[in-house]
Amino acid sequence: MAPRRPAELYRAPFPLYTVRLHPRRPLAITAGGGGAAKTGIRNGVHFLQLEQIGGQLSASLLHSHDTETRATMTMALADDIIAAGQDASCHILRFSLQAPEAKSGPAGRNGSGEKGPRKRKGPSPAGQGETQSQTSEVTVESLHSVRTDFSPDALQKAVRFNADCSLLVTGGADGFLRLWEFPSMKKTLEFKAHDGEIEDIALGPDNKVVTAGRDFQCCVWQQDQLVTGLRWNENLPGIPDKAYRYQACRFGAVEDNAGALRLYTVQVPHKRERRPPPCYLTKWDGKSFLPLLTRPCGSEVISCLSVSDSGTFLGLGTVTGSVAIHIAFSLQRLYYVKEAHGIVVTDVAFVPESRRGRELLAGNEAALLSVAVDSRCKLHLLPSRRSLPIWLLLLLCAGLIVAAILLLQLAFPGFL
């Protein structure tokens, strides 16, 4: 049975480019905007409270932070710190949540002025550079701003924290990888990682950095030393090296194997063809960086990738607006909604599997949020797959064996 159309969780007054979920709080943070063009489309970071209402997951706009003329294109979250990629810079923001005020009155309208998820209060006017809040629950302060890209069309395209949040890594259109000591934001390393744009970054064990570039390369770095270059098509001789480029890379945990890691990469066709070839998902060993499994994942070009906390599921968005969830172990597709959005999906993120996250799941096995240029944030639910406990399976097998013996005894008297 095909999955139901995903619910529209939130609609912003501007295009959305990134979404992150807080690991310990029922909070989603999404951001985007119209950029510096004087189109009247604002730029901002929106804080959404997630809660179960009437058995359904809903979102309420808690706070809208104005980012002036800068649209947030990429974002990394470390507890209450946001690293936001805006144009050629990385802006470090810190937010704090106070005790919520008592709710009163009917639900309002969402940030776009259209009917949708409620706000605590209506928006109040604010000048450029100010923070406007629907309630006093969230406050945001700017801590640092550093330039992270120096190309003619400068744009920071990727940002990641390491596991203990002592290091921030950025990459952009100039192909340079830059490492920053956190929280001081002192630059500790800078080197040319790719001939062309860096599409994505993943941080693994021992602070190894994986970079995916538009130059057909996916590289593993230890500081500025190249550890290895990945070859996803090594065992697929029919695919030329420059027929595909790497689009995304992510590390993920291994279910029921504490401490183990897998790396996942997405490969998309370099050129468009009348009959589009498939995109590919590849799973790698997280220490040796040897390919373990490669599978096609459809002919729609993949735009973004996410891995669930437990490493059980992979979330994919496409340039045509579709959203899919794959099983990480086998890379098989488990969930798919064609054109869930009307335009390119810019980011996807799983609801965390913490205690608060499990409360939001309400019995579902996983929940994925997707955002797109159509200004919408949509919710994709993966119902729990029905399975029988092992003891019941053993009991059924024993019953079948006994029944078979009895039938043989009836058909052939004296069989026993």
Side-chain angles (χ1 to χ4, degrees):
M1 185 174 67
R4 296 170 57 187
R5 299 298 296 178
E8 183 176 303
L9 196 62
Y10 179 68
R11 186 183 301 184
F14 46 71
L16 294 174
Y17 295 112
T18 181
V19 63
R20 292 290 179 268
L21 288 103
H22 198 283
R24 295 181 293 101
R25 294 174 171 156
L27 184 70
I29 304 170
T30 187
K38 296 180 179 180
T39 59
I41 300 176
R42 304 191 71 169
N43 304 287
V45 179
H46 283 191
F47 295 78
L48 310 176
Q49 179 173 320
L50 302 177
E51 55 189 335
Q52 283 284 338
I53 298 179
Q56 292 185 334
L57 185 62
S58 66
S60 310
L61 177 61
L62 288 180
H63 185 86
S64 173
H65 176 66
D66 193 330
T67 56
E68 302 180 359
T69 60
R70 307 177 306 274
T72 301
M73 307 298 291
T74 58
M75 190 163 59
L77 183 63
D79 198 27
D80 295 341
I81 300 292
I82 298 171
Q86 299 171 1
D87 298 332
S89 302
C90 186
H91 292 256
I92 306 299
L93 307 173
R94 179 166 58 199
F95 66 91
S96 58
L97 278 71
Q98 287 80 40
E101 297 176 352
K103 302 176 187 177
S104 62
R109 293 174 176 266
N110 66 9
S112 64
E114 301 178 24
K115 188 175 180 180
R118 55 189 169 79
K119 291 181 182 178
R120 298 296 195 264
K121 293 182 183 178
S124 57
Q128 276 197 344
E130 294 179 351
T131 297
Q132 46 184 313
S133 177
Q134 278 66 50
T135 72
S136 60
E137 291 177 345
V138 181
T139 57
V140 181
E141 63 175 317
S142 180
L143 301 180
H144 296 282
S145 176
V146 293
R147 182 156 186 179
T148 57
D149 194 88
F150 294 88
S151 61
D153 299 318
L155 179 65
Q156 177 185 299
K157 300 196 71 174
V159 58
R160 294 284 180 270
F161 284 102
N162 68 344
D164 63 5
C165 301
S166 62
L167 185 71
L168 184 72
V169 183
T170 62
D174 62 3
F176 276 79
L177 193 67
R178 295 176 173 92
L179 281 68
W180 310 82
E181 184 182 273
F182 190 80
S184 68
M185 290 306 291
K186 176 184 177 182
K187 185 161 58 179
T188 60
L189 191 61
E190 175 184 34
F191 64 94
K192 183 79 169 176
H194 291 274
D195 294 325
E197 299 179 2
I198 294 177
E199 288 288 347
D200 205 2
I201 296 170
L203 268 73
D206 304 322
N207 283 337
K208 286 188 176 72
V209 182
V210 180
T211 56
R214 292 187 71 91
D215 57 357
F216 308 100
Q217 303 296 317
C218 191
C219 304
V220 182
W221 306 91
Q222 185 79 65
Q223 295 291 314
D224 59 351
Q225 299 299 309
L226 180 64
V227 176
T228 186
L230 303 185
R231 294 285 305 277
W232 74 276
N233 59 334
E234 193 170 32
N235 298 320
L236 300 170
I239 300 178
D241 284 342
K242 294 194 175 181
Y244 284 80
R245 62 177 177 83
Y246 292 90
Q247 174 65 23
C249 54
R250 287 287 185 279
F251 279 100
V254 180
E255 197 173 15
D256 300 326
N257 189 355
L261 284 177
R262 295 288 183 260
L263 174 69
Y264 301 93
T265 61
V266 170
Q267 295 79 233
V268 300
H270 176 56
K271 294 180 179 179
R272 294 185 179 181
E273 299 179 10
R274 181 173 295 179
R275 296 184 63 183
C279 297
Y280 286 90
L281 268 172
T282 299
K283 179 170 66 172
W284 310 75
D285 184 274
K287 291 185 177 180
S288 66
F289 297 101
L290 294 175
L292 301 175
L293 181 64
T294 294
R295 292 183 68 98
C297 53
S299 58
E300 295 173 274
V301 177
I302 304 300
S303 56
C304 50
L305 166 69
S306 180
V307 184
S308 65
D309 286 354
S310 62
T312 306
F313 302 112
L314 308 178
L316 298 176
T318 75
V319 298
T320 49
S322 302
V323 175
I325 298 176
H326 289 242
I327 300 171
F329 176 77
S330 62
L331 303 184
Q332 290 181 322
R333 191 165 72 185
L334 191 61
Y335 170 100
Y336 172 76
V337 176
K338 184 176 179 61
E339 297 177 0
H341 294 267
I343 198 169
V344 56
V345 178
T346 48
D347 204 2
V348 291
F350 282 97
V351 171
E353 297 175 12
S354 60
R355 180 182 63 83
R356 298 302 298 270
R358 287 292 180 190
E359 292 173 0
L360 295 174
L361 289 176
N364 292 291
E365 194 164 2
L368 181 74
L369 269 60
S370 62
V371 297
V373 182
D374 63 5
S375 306
R376 291 164 170 82
C377 176
K378 295 198 173 184
L379 172 67
H380 308 267
L381 293 174
L382 190 64
S384 295
R385 291 168 289 176
R386 295 180 180 178
S387 58
L388 295 174
I390 294 176
W391 66 268
L392 184 56
L393 289 174
L394 293 174
L395 187 61
L396 288 173
C397 290
L400 288 173
I401 292 171
V402 171
I405 292 173
L406 291 175
L407 286 173
L408 287 171
Q409 177 65 19
L410 290 172
F412 305 101
F415 173 75
L416 293 178

